[in-house]
Amino acid sequence: MRADRLVSLVLLLRQHGRLSAAALARELEVSTRTVLRDIEALSAAGVPVYAERGRHGGFALLPGFRTELTGLNHDEALALLVAGSRRGAQAFGLGSALASAMLKVVDALPESYRDTAAGAAERLLIDPETDLLSRRLVAEEEVPDAVVAEVLRAVFAGHKLRIHYAAVDQTPKWRTVDPIGLVTVRDQGYLLATRSGADRTYRLSRVLAAKELAEPAQRPDRVDLDRAWQERSTRFRAGGDQVTVLVRVDPARREDLVGTALAVRAEEADSDGRLRLEVTFQDPRHAEWALWQLATNAEALAPQWLRDSLRNRAAAIATRYGVSP
């Protein structure tokens, strides 16, 4: 444990430049006395750590000092190798770079960890291409490397970006945007940006061409991508031709229903044990599809048009199979 803590201490100093003993103690979750003993141990081992006195003093490393990855323990190395097996990096064109990085991680490991960590990583599979029913998962269309490279450069450099974008059911158009960041969701990549000050979200697979511009992008210096994505997701779900449906459902199939809905607005139990839910769907087709999947395990109570649609669909199926082929 102490060896891991010493490595963490060095990495903290490399990242922050200078930290007080109290700050290091908080980060490492130890006492300041333990931090001071660790500093002495690092100095004795030849690590160029020194103390600066005064109000804004603390501990720091000599400029230019670098460490190798030999401080990785087995579980940390395994986590990196498993992360390298995920397909998310493909969405941003970083697959080859990630593979190269994983080779360097393995090469930098102590020999005692190298074989066991790599072998353990082979025992874990993340996001296979098919599920247990052999249904092939829907993958993002491949984005040309040239497009990904231009988008990445503009995002990292903070420059405006010209994209030739093919929105759904629209003729592709050129747009100039201020890129904020990139998000990948279920192997689908999205560009978060603003256009004329308004938030915009672009699917990378629909970007036909891209060109980084020299002009600086109008965007904040710092961004919370997770929060930005949540806000945009909420606005997206609030748009469209949403419908609210009253449903009675078998408790055993509740999660199947809720998992397809946008929101659950009310819920109560009926006297017969079934659940009565008020749920919202993206549009009428979404509602009809979700209820049809549950067959007799769910019943749409309202609105009447949904009951009519489900009855007509069931009648059509019965008619088709009521006649011998």
Side-chain angles (χ1 to χ4, degrees):
M1 287 296 295
R2 190 188 186 195
D4 293 340
R5 191 174 68 243
L6 292 176
V7 173
S8 297
L9 195 156
V10 171
L11 294 176
L12 283 170
L13 293 179
R14 277 185 45 77
Q15 180 179 358
H16 296 283
R18 182 190 301 109
L19 288 173
S20 66
L24 287 168
R26 286 194 301 271
E27 291 287 340
L28 299 172
E29 299 182 346
V30 297
S31 66
T32 54
R33 179 174 296 182
T34 298
V35 168
L36 294 176
R37 287 200 299 265
D38 288 346
I39 292 292
E40 292 179 358
L42 289 173
S43 296
V47 177
V49 57
Y50 66 98
E52 291 187 351
R53 308 293 180 183
R55 180 179 178 182
H56 301 291
F59 295 99
L61 296 168
L62 287 178
F65 175 75
R66 299 185 61 84
T67 60
E68 301 296 333
L69 287 175
T70 50
L72 284 174
N73 62 34
H74 178 273
D75 288 343
E76 291 168 340
L78 177 59
L80 284 174
L81 292 171
V82 171
S85 71
R86 297 185 67 88
R87 302 193 308 273
Q90 302 295 338
F92 300 143
L94 298 176
S96 60
L98 182 59
S100 176
M102 289 302 102
L103 289 175
K104 293 179 181 179
V105 168
V106 172
D107 184 66
L109 289 174
E111 186 174 355
S112 59
Y113 289 161
R114 190 177 302 155
D115 294 337
T116 56
E122 293 177 353
R123 305 287 178 175
L124 301 174
L125 175 62
I126 310 297
D127 290 339
E129 292 186 357
T130 59
D131 63 12
L132 282 174
L133 299 179
S134 297
R135 295 175 300 194
R136 190 172 183 86
L137 302 181
V138 178
E140 175 73 271
E141 296 179 14
E142 186 173 352
V143 184
D145 291 342
V147 169
V148 174
E150 289 292 320
V151 173
L152 286 174
R153 278 196 291 267
V155 169
F156 295 149
H159 291 166
K160 287 183 178 293
L161 179 68
R162 285 273 290 167
I163 58 173
H164 195 215
Y165 192 72
V168 178
D169 298 327
Q170 294 184 23
T171 303
K173 297 179 181 178
W174 282 98
R175 312 152 193 248
T176 299
V177 302
D178 296 296
I180 293 175
L182 292 164
V183 176
T184 178
V185 180
R186 297 174 183 171
D187 295 336
Q188 295 181 355
Y190 297 89
L191 168 67
L192 272 58
T194 60
R195 185 179 174 210
S196 300
D199 288 345
R200 293 288 185 268
T201 302
Y202 301 101
R203 189 162 168 173
L204 287 182
S205 62
R206 294 177 182 153
V207 178
L208 306 180
K211 177 63 177 177
E212 177 195 8
L213 304 180
E215 183 180 354
Q218 300 298 313
R219 66 180 190 179
D221 293 334
R222 303 294 298 272
V223 64
D224 185 342
L225 276 184
D226 185 62
R227 180 178 179 181
W229 180 257
Q230 292 296 332
E231 291 175 349
R232 295 181 187 213
S233 298
T234 300
R235 289 199 297 269
F236 175 79
R237 291 194 298 269
D241 301 322
Q242 290 188 8
V243 294
T244 299
V245 178
L246 183 61
V247 182
R248 268 171 42 90
V249 63
D250 186 324
R253 302 299 301 274
R254 177 191 180 279
E255 295 306 315
D256 294 328
L257 173 67
V258 172
T260 60
L262 294 182
V264 177
R265 299 186 178 275
E267 179 175 353
E268 62 181 0
D270 276 350
S271 58
D272 63 356
R274 286 210 161 195
L275 300 176
R276 186 180 293 249
L277 284 78
E278 187 177 342
V279 294
T280 299
F281 293 99
Q282 185 68 43
D283 52 38
R285 290 182 60 189
H286 181 195
E288 182 179 345
W289 173 86
L291 269 295
W292 183 258
Q293 308 307 307
L294 298 177
T296 58
N297 290 305
E299 178 186 2
L301 302 179
Q304 186 60 42
W305 63 260
L306 180 57
R307 293 179 59 87
D308 293 342
S309 295
L310 291 170
R311 183 186 65 248
N312 293 339
R313 176 183 282 202
I317 291 292
T319 299
R320 173 62 59 88
Y321 288 100
V323 179
S324 298

